[in-house]
Amino acid sequence: MSGERTQSVIKRIIRQVGLECAAQGQSLSETLVAFMVKAIVLDPRNDFSMDRIITENDTQDLIQLCVTRLLDTTNPSLSTIKMQVYFDMNYANRDELLSEQERVLEGKLAPLVRDITESDPHAQEDMENVYQKIITYTLLRSGLGSPADIEAVREVTAALQSVLPQTEMITFISLSKKDKEQQLKDLAMLVSGIRLYNKQCQKGGSSIDDLPDILNETILSATRTLDERLNSCQLLAYRYTALLESMQEDPHRHSQLHSLKLKEALFNVRQYEAFLCILQSNTITSAQEVESLNVQFEAAMMVLKNTVVDKTSIESEEVFPLFRELSKLWTSFQDEMLLLRFLTNMANDLQQFVEVQSQLFPEEMLTSLLEGVTVKSDKERIKETMGTKVNASDFKNQEWLFPETTDNFDQLLIQYHGFCAHSIGVKGITLRGNPAIGILKHKEKYYVFSSKEAAYLFAQDPDKFIQLNVEKAKKYAELIQLLELRHQFEYLVPHAQARNANRGSLKPPPKCDSGTQTDTHILPPTIVTSYEWNEWELRRKAIKLANLRRKLTHSMQTDLSHMRRENSTQVYLPKDAGTQTKRDNSSNVPKPQIFLKGLRGGPSPTTHMVTVDLTRPLDET
C-alpha cells in the first residue's frame, strides 16, 4: 500500500510542479515534469525513497527541488533531458511517418469520399455534380496541384474523361460502396500517370513540380547541414573530454574547473551527437531511395513512350498498368520529400537544446582553458589503441570476442551506446570504446573499452563497475537514455508517456509471453532401418537370399542382334462402318435334343442303350 500511495503522491507533485512552473512563465509538458520529478527522487543525494511513505515536508522539498531544476535554464543537464523528451515524443521512423501521413490524408478526404460513394443521383445535374467531386478527389489525392488552379483542374478533367467518361457514370453509381472507394483510388492513380506522361511530353503539367531535382537539392542541403552540426558538436565533445581528463590528472586544474558544469555539457553534446547520427543515417537511406526511384521512373517512362508512340489507339489493358506504375513511383517521390522535410525540421528543432553551450563556454573561454591541453578526437584515440589487444588467456572465466574469430562481429549489441564501460562510472567521462581491443561478454551482454588497461580493470569485477555506472546514471538522469539503461530504470517512465503506445525510447520495451521449442533429437537420427527383431522376418529374408543365390541371370549378344535397333510404324486404324437394311428378319433353328437311355445298366448283365431323338421337326419351329 505504501508504494501505491507514494505513486499517488508523485502524481499530485507532478501537477503541482507543472502549475508552479507555468506561473513563473515556463509552460512545460507533463512528460518532462514527470521525468524530472522521478529523476530527483532517484538521485541518492536528495535522500528520497520510492519504498517509503513521502511526508508533507518531503513533498514540499521535492516540489521545490523540481521547480528549481526546471527553471534553471543555464543547466546543460536540463537541456539534455528536454532534448531527450522532445526527440522521444516527436521522432518517427520511415514506416511510422508514412503510415501517419496516409492516415491523415485519408481523414481529410473522408468527407469527400463519403459524398461520392453514398450519393445516388438520378437527374443529369446531380450526375454532373458527382463527376465534379470525383475530379476534386482525384486532384487532392494525387497532390499534383490545387483545386483552385484552373489549369490543373482542366488537365485532370481531360485525363478523367479518357478513363471514365460521363456516359459511364451510371455504371460507377451502380457499384457497391467498397468498390466505389477502390475505383476512386484507381482513377486517381490513372489520372496522375496520364498527367505525368503529358508533362514528360511537354503537353501540360505546368503545376507539377520537378520532384526529382528538388529532392536532389534538398538531400545535398540536409546532408551538408547535418555534417556541419555533427562536426561542431563532436569538436565540443573532444574539448570537454580533454578538460575533464586534465582535471583528474592535475589537482590544481581540478579546483579551477570544478565549479564548471563540464560533465553535464559533455553529456549534452554526446546526446546531441547521437540524435544527429540517427537523422544522418535516415538522410542517407532517403538519398539511396531517391537514387533508385530516379532510375525506376526513367525506365517506366521509357517503356510507356515505346508503348504509346505512333499508335492512334491502344488497349487499356496494355497502357493502364504503366500509368499506375508512374503514379506509384511519383508517390514514392512525395514520400521521400515528406521524410526529408521531417528530418530537416527535427535537426533544426534540436539545435535549441545545445544553445546553452555557447552561453556557458564561449569560444574565448574554451580557448584559454585548453592552453597546454591536448585535444584528441575519437578516431585518434582509437588509432592509438589499435595495436593493443586483450590476452584472453589471462582470464579463465571470462569470454573475449575479437574481429578475426567472431562471426558478425560488427553486429553485436554493445552496451552503453558504444562508450567505454570502465570510464563512465570511474571517471564520469564518455569515451568511445575500441572493439579491436576485445569485447567482453558478461552475462550475455557485450562491453567495449577505450584502452587495454581499462579492459583489464573492468574484467576483474564486472558487476562492481556495472553498478558504478548505474549509480552514475542516478546522479545524472540524462545518462539513462544516453547509455541505454532504460531496462534498469523501468520505474522511471513518465505517466503521460506510458499511456502513449508504440512511442519513444523513454518508455520501457514492451513485454510479452513467449515460448521456445527444443528439438527432441538434436543430432541426426541413427536408426538402422534394416534392423529386425522378429526372428520369423529374419528367417524369411534368409530364405529369400538363399533362393537368390541359386538364380543366375545370363545375357549375350549375337551377330544378328548387335546391329538391331528399335523400329516403330504408324498405321491408320480401320474406321467403324455399318449398313442399314430395309427390315430386320431372323430365323430360329431347332436345337438338337438327343437322349441316351440305359447307360446306368439294368437287371440284366448286358447293358442295352437306346437313343431317343426328341428334336422338333424344322417345320414346327
Side-chain angles (χ1 to χ4, degrees):
M1 292 297 294
S2 61
E4 296 178 0
R5 182 178 178 182
T6 301
Q7 291 292 336
S8 176
V9 172
I10 289 179
K11 291 180 182 179
R12 182 171 62 86
I13 292 173
I14 291 173
R15 292 193 297 269
Q16 186 65 29
V17 171
L19 292 175
E20 292 196 15
C21 291
Q24 300 190 34
Q26 289 287 339
S27 181
L28 305 176
S29 66
E30 180 184 354
T31 303
L32 176 62
V33 175
F35 187 86
M36 183 59 69
V37 169
K38 293 193 174 183
I40 291 177
V41 171
L42 187 66
D43 192 343
R45 294 173 296 185
N46 298 323
D47 196 22
F48 288 105
S49 176
M50 296 285 290
D51 299 329
R52 64 180 177 85
I53 298 177
I54 300 179
T55 63
E56 187 62 28
N57 292 334
D58 294 336
T59 301
Q60 295 303 320
D61 293 341
L62 183 56
I63 293 175
Q64 188 60 40
L65 279 174
C66 291
V67 173
T68 303
R69 287 280 300 274
L70 290 170
L71 296 179
D72 186 7
T73 57
T74 62
N75 190 352
S77 179
L78 177 63
S79 298
T80 306
I81 294 176
K82 287 183 177 180
M83 185 196 320
Q84 293 171 344
V85 172
Y86 170 81
F87 193 86
D88 182 72
M89 301 302 293
N90 292 276
Y91 175 76
N93 57 32
R94 290 175 61 90
D95 295 336
E96 291 175 347
L97 189 62
L98 295 180
S99 62
E100 178 66 17
Q101 176 67 15
E102 180 67 18
R103 188 188 64 81
V104 171
L105 180 61
E106 293 287 349
K108 290 181 179 179
L109 296 177
L112 183 58
V113 173
R114 194 180 304 112
D115 291 342
I116 297 173
T117 56
E118 295 181 357
S119 62
D120 188 15
H122 298 285
Q124 182 65 26
E125 182 180 355
D126 296 337
M127 198 79 72
E128 292 178 356
N129 187 22
V130 174
Y131 196 80
Q132 290 298 323
K133 290 181 179 179
I134 294 177
I135 293 174
T136 303
Y137 169 85
T138 303
L139 187 58
L140 294 175
R141 178 79 186 183
S142 64
L144 301 178
S146 170
D149 188 350
I150 303 301
E151 185 66 25
V153 174
R154 186 179 296 113
E155 290 180 5
V156 172
T157 304
L160 186 61
Q161 285 284 358
S162 64
V163 179
L164 180 69
Q166 293 192 21
T167 56
E168 297 183 5
M169 279 296 294
I170 298 177
T171 305
F172 176 81
I173 296 301
S174 63
L175 297 175
S176 63
K177 182 178 180 181
K178 185 176 181 180
D179 292 339
K180 287 180 183 178
E181 293 177 354
Q182 184 61 39
Q183 183 77 2
L184 285 174
K185 293 180 180 180
D186 190 58
L187 289 173
M189 294 179 65
L190 290 174
V191 171
S192 300
I194 295 172
R195 293 185 65 198
L196 291 170
Y197 175 74
N198 292 338
K199 176 180 173 61
Q200 187 71 16
C201 298
Q202 298 181 354
K203 296 180 181 179
S206 58
S207 60
I208 302 176
D209 296 329
D210 193 354
L211 275 185
D213 291 343
I214 296 175
L215 278 170
N216 291 332
E217 295 176 0
T218 305
I219 289 172
L220 289 176
S221 176
T223 303
R224 188 183 307 112
T225 302
L226 287 173
D227 287 342
E228 292 174 356
R229 293 178 180 176
L230 191 59
N231 292 332
S232 177
C233 77
Q234 286 176 342
L235 179 59
L236 283 177
Y238 304 153
R239 290 181 170 184
Y240 295 152
T241 302
L243 288 175
L244 287 170
E245 287 180 330
S246 66
M247 287 176 56
Q248 297 176 358
E249 296 172 358
D250 188 355
H252 175 70
R253 290 187 63 83
H254 183 275
S255 59
Q256 178 186 1
L257 303 176
H258 180 69
S259 60
L260 301 178
K261 301 176 181 179
L262 284 173
K263 288 185 179 180
E264 292 88 340
L266 175 61
F267 301 152
N268 180 262
V269 294
R270 284 298 191 185
Q271 184 64 80
Y272 184 55
E273 176 192 12
F275 289 153
L276 287 181
C277 287
I278 295 175
L279 299 181
Q280 187 183 51
S281 176
N282 291 342
T283 305
I284 294 173
T285 302
S286 184
Q288 295 172 348
E289 188 68 21
V290 169
E291 184 178 358
S292 175
L293 288 174
N294 282 328
V295 176
Q296 296 179 44
F297 187 79
E298 292 178 0
M301 187 64 73
M302 184 62 66
V303 172
L304 183 58
K305 284 184 177 180
N306 295 335
T307 304
V308 178
V309 67
D310 298 334
K311 291 184 180 180
T312 56
S313 64
I314 188 170
E315 295 292 334
S316 59
E317 291 81 1
E318 184 177 0
V319 72
F320 279 8
L322 302 178
F323 287 136
R324 294 190 187 96
E325 183 64 21
L326 278 184
S327 178
K328 289 180 181 179
L329 292 173
W330 196 263
T331 302
S332 299
F333 279 125
Q334 293 173 330
D335 292 341
E336 295 303 323
M337 194 69 204
L338 172 69
L339 289 168
L340 285 172
R341 287 174 181 169
F342 169 76
L343 295 175
T344 302
N345 293 335
M346 285 290 296
N348 294 334
D349 293 340
L350 288 176
Q351 188 71 17
Q352 61 180 316
F353 300 109
V354 292
E355 293 177 353
V356 67
Q357 302 288 338
S358 59
Q359 301 174 7
L360 289 178
F361 305 100
E363 184 63 27
E364 299 81 6
M365 177 182 178
L366 268 180
T367 304
S368 62
L369 291 176
L370 288 170
E371 291 182 359
V373 178
T374 302
V375 178
K376 299 179 183 179
S377 65
D378 289 342
K379 292 183 179 179
E380 291 174 346
R381 293 177 182 272
I382 292 177
K383 187 176 180 180
E384 290 178 354
T385 58
M386 285 302 292
T388 60
K389 183 184 295 187
V390 172
N391 187 3
S393 60
D394 295 340
F395 303 91
K396 296 181 179 180
N397 300 324
Q398 300 287 358
E399 182 179 358
W400 292 89
L401 306 178
F402 301 97
E404 61 275 7
T405 59
T406 305
D407 295 334
N408 301 323
F409 183 81
D410 297 334
Q411 300 178 8
L412 295 177
L413 184 60
I414 306 300
Q415 297 295 307
Y416 305 130
H417 199 68
F419 292 114
C420 175
H422 176 265
S423 62
I424 296 170
V426 176
K427 301 179 181 180
I429 305 176
T430 51
L431 296 175
R432 288 291 177 190
N434 184 5
I437 296 175
I439 297 180
L440 175 63
K441 182 179 180 180
H442 178 69
K443 295 182 179 179
E444 302 303 323
K445 295 181 180 179
Y446 305 96
Y447 303 89
V448 293
F449 309 95
S450 58
S451 65
K452 181 178 178 181
E453 294 76 13
Y456 272 75
L457 290 174
F458 185 91
Q460 292 177 1
D461 192 356
D463 293 329
K464 168 189 173 182
F465 291 100
I466 291 173
Q467 186 60 33
L468 286 178
N469 296 336
V470 173
E471 295 299 326
K472 186 67 66 174
K474 289 181 179 180
K475 295 180 180 179
Y476 301 94
E478 61 268 29
L479 290 178
I480 296 175
Q481 181 170 346
L482 176 60
L483 302 181
E484 300 175 347
L485 298 175
R486 295 178 296 274
H487 60 284
Q488 299 188 25
F489 296 93
E490 292 182 355
Y491 51 89
L492 198 62
V493 182
H495 297 289
Q497 189 178 9
R499 294 193 298 266
N500 193 2
N502 298 326
R503 173 67 67 181
S505 55
L506 290 178
K507 186 181 67 174
K511 297 180 179 180
C512 65
D513 294 334
S514 63
T516 58
Q517 183 175 359
T518 305
D519 293 338
T520 305
H521 302 287
I522 300 177
L523 298 177
T526 58
I527 299 175
V528 180
T529 57
S530 61
Y531 171 76
E532 285 292 345
W533 62 271
N534 192 337
E535 58 181 312
W536 293 101
E537 181 65 21
L538 292 173
R539 180 177 178 275
R540 187 187 67 80
K541 288 184 178 181
I543 294 173
K544 183 178 179 181
L545 289 175
N547 291 335
L548 287 176
R549 291 180 182 276
R550 291 195 297 268
K551 305 237 188 291
L552 298 178
T553 302
H554 297 279
S555 65
M556 64 177 60
Q557 192 170 16
T558 65
D559 292 336
L560 296 178
S561 66
H562 78 284
M563 290 296 290
R564 290 186 178 180
R565 60 182 176 87
E566 294 182 356
N567 284 341
S568 61
T569 60
Q570 184 175 5
V571 297
Y572 290 100
L573 297 176
K575 63 180 181 179
D576 296 334
T579 60
Q580 185 175 6
T581 60
K582 290 184 178 180
R583 65 176 183 175
D584 294 336
N585 201 356
S586 62
S587 62
N588 191 8
V589 179
K591 184 177 180 182
Q593 295 183 354
I594 299 174
F595 298 93
L596 300 176
K597 179 183 178 184
L599 291 178
R600 295 185 180 180
S604 61
T606 304
T607 300
H608 298 280
M609 183 178 64
V610 180
T611 301
V612 181
D613 188 0
L614 297 180
T615 303
R616 297 179 63 186
L618 185 62
D619 56 355
E620 293 181 5
T621 58

